[in-house]
């Protein structure tokens, strides 16, 4: 049975659970509770604030403004958790590509096919430049 006095939480039962930031004005294109949940889930998947905001049709700037509002403590905590998870996932992905390489198939003039393999070094270098890259042997946890 749910308690009607208890605020509604989103992503209940996960480490990303949070109480939505109250809306200042009712706007269909604003930061609704559903948009907030989708942003946190996108942040967990992508590990990038700008990309997650764009994925839900909002700007990076408006996301930070929402995070700074009164009553956004739970949202900010979920944001931090999701960002850590997303960055860990991206780091693991880059290291997998470094170890296992990638295959590139090109169709050349005359119909010839060129298949090459090897690591995606641009992705590997990007992951290693990330200041919050997981420490060696931690598999994305801090």
């Amino acid at each position: 049975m749910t308690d009607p006095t208890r605020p509604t939480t989103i992503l209940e039962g996960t480490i990303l659970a949070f109480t939505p930031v109250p809306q200042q004005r009712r706007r269909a294109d604003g930061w609704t509770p559903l948009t907030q949940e989708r942003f946190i889930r996108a942040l967990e998947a992508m590990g990038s604030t700008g990309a997650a905001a764009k994925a839900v049709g909002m700007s990076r700037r408006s996301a930070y403004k929402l995070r700074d509002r009164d009553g956004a403590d739970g949202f900010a905590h979920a944001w931090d958790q999701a960002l850590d998870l997303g960055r860990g996932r991206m780091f693991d992905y880059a290291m997998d590509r470094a170890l296992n390489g990638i295959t590139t198939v090109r169709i050349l003039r005359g119909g010839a096919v060129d298949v090459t393999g090897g690591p995606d070094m641009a992705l590997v270098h990007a992951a290693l430049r990330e200041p919050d890259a997981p420490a060696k042997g931690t598999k994305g946890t801090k």
Side-chain angles (χ1 to χ4, degrees):
M1 176 179 238
T2 59
D3 179 1
T5 61
R6 184 172 164 242
T8 305
T9 59
I10 295 180
L11 298 168
E12 189 77 42
T14 72
I15 64 167
L16 300 177
F18 69 98
T19 302
V21 181
Q23 289 181 271
Q24 293 176 331
R25 288 177 244 126
R26 292 245 182 245
R27 292 182 51 162
D29 64 344
W31 282 100
T32 65
L34 182 59
T35 304
Q36 293 176 45
E37 176 185 10
R38 288 178 175 162
F39 171 78
I40 294 298
R41 293 171 80 195
L43 194 55
E44 177 191 14
M46 299 176 185
S48 165
T49 303
K54 186 176 180 179
V56 299
M58 305 300 280
S59 71
R60 184 177 187 272
R61 182 175 179 214
S62 71
Y64 277 101
K65 285 175 76 172
L66 178 69
R67 181 185 169 107
D68 290 339
R69 271 196 218 158
D70 288 337
D73 294 340
F75 177 73
H77 180 72
W79 176 322
D80 292 340
Q81 293 292 318
L83 192 59
D84 283 348
L85 291 169
R87 285 182 174 168
R89 179 177 289 118
M90 291 298 109
F91 183 84
D92 290 345
Y93 178 67
M95 290 300 104
D96 178 64
R97 290 184 88 171
L99 295 172
N100 299 315
I102 59 169
T103 301
T104 305
V105 178
R106 296 183 308 159
I107 308 293
L108 305 174
R109 289 187 180 179
V113 176
D114 176 39
V115 179
T116 58
D120 182 347
M121 293 310 294
L123 185 59
V124 172
H125 289 295
L128 293 174
R129 281 192 305 269
E130 177 62 44
D132 294 329
K136 183 177 179 181
T138 61
K139 277 300 266 184
T141 60
K142 289 190 173 188

